[in-house]
Amino acid sequence: MGGYRVHPGQAEQLVVELRRAAQTLLGRRSIRDLQQTLSEIVAAAVETVPGASAGGISVSEDGIVDSRNPTSRGISELDRLQGELHEGPCITALESPAEDGVVMADDLGGADAERWPRFAPAAVAAGYRSMLSTQLATTGPMRAALNLYAAEPHVFDPEARLTAGLFAVQAAMLLHGSEQAVHLGRAVDSRDVIGQAKGILMERFGVDETEAFQMLVESSQSTNLKLVDVARWLVGEAGRRRARRTSGDGGRAGVPSGGLLPPDAQ
């Protein structure tokens, strides 16, 4: 890649687009916003990479390939088709890309049809002869690729390859950020429900925070349930009892008289 050069005008446009994406990212706070920024990066890549006319991101989780942030419905269908066929430039980029992470299809209506014999005819029928897919360096079980499509064959040159790779770095950072945001949100939710469960036990049994947490741990071990699931059951049961009390059906708020464990474990 060291020999690749971006034309001066193209380089200026690239810097502007990447700076704009970075500035936008700084103002994003929610997962929805992150996804919007990803869509903007895909659109900017299509506009900036020479020859590209459409694009999207393919994400593979648990063997299922999904299409995200496509510039059109047709691109979403082509990205998903590659997942269904387990064949195409994006699948190659996800599983066995070149050292720089890029997979190029110069002519899906020519020699590349032999490389991807089932996908290539569908792409050509949809009006695309060239593809450039770049693996996104994400961690964990999720893998992803930025896919760019062109109507004409042999349009992606070394400069286009480099430019797409730079946009892929931006997209990879955002995907990693959105993935971490999901994990953080789950962690916060778990912490909150465990805190609520501890509060219920402290009030019901007159124990301190450490003892309440130990009760949850012992119940988790005895029932082979996750700690957070025990906590959710306890909070839910307390809520149901409060609802019955409010509706006049009787019952006492807090832990059921039968004990701490979920019914199946008692």
Side-chain angles (χ1 to χ4, degrees):
M1 291 181 62
Y4 294 173
R5 292 186 299 174
V6 178
H7 299 308
Q10 182 185 349
E12 181 179 354
Q13 184 180 8
L14 174 60
V15 171
V16 169
E17 294 296 346
L18 292 180
R19 281 176 57 83
R20 181 182 302 166
Q23 290 169 355
T24 303
L25 175 59
L26 292 175
R28 302 300 188 186
R29 291 296 181 267
S30 70
I31 294 175
R32 179 179 298 177
D33 288 336
L34 286 168
Q35 292 302 320
Q36 176 62 33
T37 306
L38 276 172
S39 294
E40 293 170 1
I41 285 181
V42 172
V46 170
E47 181 179 349
T48 307
V49 174
S53 55
I57 292 176
S58 293
V59 176
S60 175
E61 293 183 277
D62 299 323
I64 300 175
V65 178
D66 190 23
S67 177
R68 299 185 186 178
N69 315 100
T71 55
S72 69
R73 181 177 178 180
I75 293 303
S76 178
E77 293 173 352
L78 286 175
D79 284 350
R80 288 198 175 101
L81 178 62
Q82 292 180 79
E84 293 171 3
L85 298 175
H86 197 73
E87 174 187 296
C90 92
I91 300 300
T92 304
L94 289 172
E95 298 183 350
S96 55
E99 186 176 355
D100 64 355
V102 179
V103 174
M104 290 180 60
D106 289 321
D107 187 2
L108 292 167
D112 288 312
E114 299 179 5
R115 190 175 182 187
W116 301 290
R118 293 179 296 170
F119 170 72
V124 172
Y128 300 104
R129 293 284 296 272
S130 302
M131 270 194 71
L132 191 158
S133 295
T134 307
Q135 186 186 65
L136 307 184
T138 56
T139 59
M142 182 179 72
R143 291 178 295 176
L146 170 66
N147 305 315
L148 297 178
Y149 293 76
E152 300 297 327
H154 304 287
V155 298
F156 293 127
D157 58 13
E159 285 76 19
R161 186 180 185 125
L162 175 59
T163 306
L166 292 173
F167 275 105
V169 170
Q170 286 279 339
M173 291 173 61
L174 282 165
L175 277 175
H176 179 72
S178 64
E179 190 177 14
Q180 293 305 308
V182 169
H183 293 327
L184 178 60
R186 290 172 180 169
V188 170
D189 291 343
S190 297
R191 184 191 65 185
D192 288 348
V193 75
I194 290 173
Q196 293 176 49
K198 288 193 297 184
I200 293 170
L201 294 176
M202 291 167 67
E203 180 181 0
R204 174 66 176 83
F205 293 105
V207 298
D208 62 23
E209 185 175 357
T210 300
E211 291 169 329
F213 183 73
Q214 187 60 37
M215 293 173 71
L216 289 173
V217 171
E218 292 176 359
S219 297
S220 172
Q221 294 172 343
S222 299
T223 59
N224 290 321
L225 293 173
K226 293 181 179 179
L227 180 65
V228 68
D229 290 336
V230 173
R232 287 195 182 101
W233 173 84
L234 182 58
V235 171
E237 184 64 22
R240 286 187 289 273
R241 284 175 173 267
R242 281 194 296 270
R244 288 197 295 269
R245 182 180 180 182
T246 300
S247 64
D249 293 338
R252 181 178 56 180
V255 178
S257 58
L260 169 66
L261 303 183
D264 291 344
Q266 296 180 16

